[in-house]
Amino acid sequence: MAEFVYKQIIDDLKKKIFAGQFADMRLPDERSLSELYQVSRSSVKQALTKMEHAGIIFKKRGSGTFINPLYIKNESVFNYEGSNLGVTDNFHMNGQKPQTRVLGFEVIPPTEELQRDLFLEPHDFVYKIVRLRLFDDVPFMFETGYIPIKIVQNLNQTIIEGSIFNYLENAHNLAVTKSFMSIFAEPSQEQDRELLLLKENEPVGIMEGIFFLDNGTPLEFSHMRIHYQYLKFNTFVSVQ
Amino acid sequence: MAEFVYKQIIDDLKKKIFAGQFADMRLPDERSLSELYQVSRSSVKQALTKMEHAGIIFKKRGSGTFINPLYIKNESVFNYEGSNLGVTDNFHMNGQKPQTRVLGFEVIPPTEELQRDLFLEPHDFVYKIVRLRLFDDVPFMFETGYIPIKIVQNLNQTIIEGSIFNYLENAHNLAVTKSFMSIFAEPSQEQDRELLLLKENEPVGIMEGIFFLDNGTPLEFSHMRIHYQYLKFNTFVSVQ
DNA sequence: AAGTGGTCTAGACCACTAC
DNA sequence: TAGTGGTCTAGACCACTTA
């Protein structure tokens, strides 16, 4: 963590933002930061650009760099900022204990869709893992995930009852740092209502997509069905 | 459009991707592209990084740069890629004619929340605009937006019946190119069901957040309530 | 060993904002 | 006019993948 120059700048600026060090909602200019941290302006710019994409700040050309008021307003909202991408770390927990109930665990040949999405050959078998996630015995989502066995061969019940991503990082030094995700919503189906304790009129939020390792290898195709109260996705969008 | 080197590279690569010019799902390496376009590798990298954030490609360190299979799978899915951020341009239209029904149009003092989100003083009045959006007489969302009059003073019924963003770009040369958005879902309320013709059990998707001008000025706080079938949000997430 | 993307430097000039 | 972020160059060295 924080091995690179730009990551150290991000960590330091975030710490200062939370400490209220920029009361005027304004960061020092790029050239000052370059001097302060004794790095090139390019490295400062790289840090600030990533912070902008994380929804922490925004830049005003000709004026300066400012803290995003929505970031201060609702910190917990920025699920994906500053942690890894695993479920365990990213849904609002408020100190509650996360639990996992394994509903399915098998190895199957990849469908054509999976072959394309995960860059697989027909003979590249995949784990199919279905898990229900809970906080303090309250279920909030269930997930169907597909992971090629050529990337990891020794998954077992104990591992998938915890965080697969943490296991991969700790035991195999494989970090999950990128994903492409679609987010949408549907009326709940009977299985949703059973597993997530939803009423007839309450919907599910759906997130599905591909998780990538730090080196760009597609690791998992995941389909998550989420209790609507637990899905709040925050994002920065920019056009070219 | 395409005035800068990196934008020209984006446009050209996208054209080639759609033309199926990279059948192996792989782009040329950065140094080759640098030579091909006669620009520095940094400029190539800037283009590729933006394309990665747009969900078009992903990079594999040590291996190369590849086309995102989800991008090919469902083009229409990437609502925000390659156009501006206005509603008119971003919901799946399939050639249908977009319509707008104005439900409210007034000027009010900014709430404290709006003052913070749009960087306003208490005396900076805002337009409050409520609009229902339809395709071929089928309503798909309604939106409440707040725009400071200090940015634009001459909005009228005719303008807000069309695209405000297009008007700002054409008449005032103000381009909307960035936004911070929260996406979530709720059971539909009575007003939702009335306006969007939803059944009791069908939900609304909600997108709310801030739109920024190209220069970073916060332009609008917007709250959109969307028929669940029309909300599909696609995004790239990366951790530092 | 060769090839690829990642990080980083030390500048230059431009476009825009604020005064 | 001075200050700010945006674009761009021409390199350097590193980490990782592939063969």
Side-chain angles (χ1 to χ4, degrees), chain A residues 19-60:
Chain A
Q21 202 157 328
F22 308 114
D24 56 353
M25 300 293 278
R26 184 190 187 137
L27 264 57
D29 70 276
E30 296 183 350
R31 286 160 182 89
S32 302
L33 290 172
S34 165
E35 191 159 347
L36 169 63
Y37 294 114
Q38 287 294 299
V39 299
S40 73
R41 193 179 151 212
S42 308
S43 296
V44 169
K45 195 178 280 292
Q46 186 177 16
L48 294 181
T49 298
K50 287 190 183 268
M51 289 175 74
E52 183 172 44
H53 281 112
I56 302 172
I57 59 171
F58 62 94
K59 304 172 181 181
K60 280 188 72 167

Side-chain angles (χ1 to χ4, degrees), chain A residues 73 116 182-183 233-234 237, chain B residues 73 116 182-183 233-234:
Chain A
K73 178 157 96 182
R116 189 198 45 216
S182 288
I183 296 103
F233 189 87
N234 297 269
V237 179
Chain B
K73 177 156 96 181
R116 190 197 43 217
S182 288
I183 295 103
F233 189 88
N234 298 268

Side-chain angles (χ1 to χ4, degrees), chain A residues 52 60 73 83 113 116-117 177-184 215 231 233-239, chain B residues 52 60-61 73 83 113 116-117 177-179 181-184 215 233-239:
Chain A
E52 183 172 44
K60 280 188 72 167
K73 178 157 96 182
S83 72
E113 199 175 10
R116 189 198 45 216
D117 291 350
T177 55
K178 301 194 289 191
S179 69
F180 289 120
M181 286 285 143
S182 288
I183 296 103
F184 50 101
N215 65 15
L231 176 64
F233 189 87
N234 297 269
T235 186
F236 171 83
V237 179
S238 77
V239 178
Chain B
E52 183 172 44
K60 279 188 73 167
R61 178 185 199 154
K73 177 156 96 181
S83 70
E113 200 175 9
R116 190 197 43 217
D117 291 350
T177 55
K178 302 192 289 191
S179 69
M181 284 287 144
S182 288
I183 295 103
F184 50 101
N215 65 15
F233 189 88
N234 298 268
T235 186
F236 170 84
V237 179
S238 77
V239 178

Side-chain angles (χ1 to χ4, degrees), chain A residues 109-120 126 146 208-210 221 223, chain B residues 69-70 73-74 232:
Chain A
T111 61
E112 281 193 14
E113 199 175 10
L114 282 173
Q115 287 173 45
R116 189 198 45 216
D117 291 350
L118 299 177
F119 280 67
L120 301 178
V126 297
Y146 303 89
E208 72 171 28
I210 304 173
F221 183 87
H223 176 94
Chain B
L70 295 184
K73 177 156 96 181
N74 193 349
K232 185 157 189 173

Side-chain angles (χ1 to χ4, degrees), chain B residues 79-90:
Chain B
N79 303 329
Y80 283 89
E81 180 271 312
S83 70
N84 73 46
L85 292 171
V87 166
T88 320
D89 308 275
N90 280 304

